[in-house]
Amino acid sequence: MTTLYPMLSVEEARDRVLAAFRPLPPERVPLLETLGRVLAEDLYAEMDIPPLANSAMDGYAVRAADTAGAGPDHPVRLRIVHDLAAGYTTDVPVTEGCAIRIMTGAPIPPGADAVVRFEETERDGPWVQVLKAVAVGENVRQAGEDVRRGALILPRGTEVRPPEMGMMAALGHKEVLVHRRPRVAILATGDEVIEVDAPWQPGKIRNANSYANAAQVLRYGGVPILLGIARDDVAELTARIRAGLEQGAD
């Protein structure tokens, strides 16, 4: 039996619909407005992250060679020459037999190549007793360890989630180029449909579908345009559809 309207499988219907889709034009928006949006540009790292070698632990910046053989029964005694908090740098060098008290995130001072954790030391006035030897680079986050300058971090087409937003902030992007949100017109049809706040009448149903569909549009990043209810009339249907197009529906 032949028909003017042959049936399509779900897959065929979906493929036909998707074939008509094209990426929407880009727009530059503030960082906080990018959640759920899709990047329209490649984002590269313009600097190393971290930008400087820094301490991964609270402790003492030392020369690893000075801690050789250190242990609970034979600690190594180093002179504390400076305190260094996160957010600050120092020109005070770590020389042989010395240490700098350092906090997590503070840049490694000149001359130091390792950090001994507080838990592996004992403070003795202007001295520190090191109870465990450390290797070169131990408890140190190297410059560029997380991200290398020039690396492609987020390619275009990436959906922005909280981790991506945090990375863009770390890279210094206050505004980002993303694809515009699709504007979706929603039209309810039928003589039996009434507005949600209208008094119920026998044979009528409230316009629940428009709001359920609008919620789906919002959930997946679109902008719903509610066109109201069109009666079972060709002229009214045509007018409502034209109104949706005039309001910028995609």
Side-chain angles (χ1 to χ4, degrees):
M1 179 179 177
T2 60
T3 174
L4 293 175
Y5 304 102
M7 294 293 292
L8 297 176
S9 68
V10 172
E11 291 75 17
E12 289 173 322
R14 181 191 60 202
D15 290 344
R16 289 193 183 187
V17 171
L18 293 178
F21 278 61
R22 297 292 183 272
L24 292 170
E27 60 181 359
R28 195 166 294 278
V29 301
L31 182 59
L32 275 177
E33 296 179 15
T34 62
L35 187 64
R37 307 288 289 271
V38 176
L39 291 180
E41 62 180 339
D42 294 329
L43 294 182
Y44 293 86
E46 297 179 357
M47 61 184 294
D48 287 339
I49 299 178
L52 299 171
N54 65 86
S55 179
M57 297 286 179
D58 294 342
Y60 292 90
V62 300
R63 300 185 336 140
D66 286 344
T67 70
D73 298 328
H74 38 82
V76 170
R77 194 165 183 252
L78 302 175
R79 183 166 59 91
I80 302 168
V81 295
H82 191 63
D83 281 4
L84 184 57
Y88 297 90
T89 61
T90 183
D91 294 327
V92 177
V94 174
T95 56
E96 184 177 357
C98 296
I100 286 181
R101 187 175 183 271
I102 193 169
M103 304 306 289
T104 302
I108 298 298
D113 56 17
V115 173
V116 183
R117 299 186 303 161
F118 281 150
E119 297 89 335
E120 294 158 348
T121 66
E122 290 180 357
R123 182 75 181 258
D124 181 16
W127 301 85
V128 60
Q129 304 279 1
V130 178
L131 308 178
K132 177 182 178 294
V134 290
V136 172
E138 190 165 340
N139 298 320
V140 174
R141 290 189 294 234
Q142 300 297 334
E145 186 173 303
D146 295 332
V147 174
R148 284 289 185 185
R149 180 180 179 182
L152 175 61
I153 303 304
L154 297 172
R156 69 182 65 197
T158 298
E159 180 183 352
V160 178
R161 303 167 301 166
E164 285 78 15
M165 187 179 291
M167 177 57 73
M168 290 188 290
L171 294 173
H173 293 281
K174 191 175 182 179
E175 294 185 338
V176 183
L177 195 68
V178 295
H179 289 288
R180 178 172 60 75
R181 294 184 186 276
R183 293 188 287 264
V184 182
I186 299 170
L187 175 62
T189 64
D191 291 341
E192 74 281 11
V193 183
I194 58 176
E195 293 293 353
V196 295
D197 57 350
W200 180 80
Q201 305 169 42
K204 304 294 185 180
I205 56 173
R206 291 194 173 95
N207 184 16
N209 283 346
S210 285
Y211 291 88
N213 289 330
Q216 292 278 35
V217 171
L218 287 169
R219 181 179 184 180
Y220 292 103
V223 179
I225 302 173
L226 296 182
L227 300 180
I229 303 167
R231 301 304 161 196
D232 292 326
D233 177 80
V234 172
E236 184 172 349
L237 282 167
T238 302
R240 294 274 185 170
I241 292 172
R242 285 177 176 166
L245 294 174
E246 290 170 358
Q247 293 180 53
D250 294 307

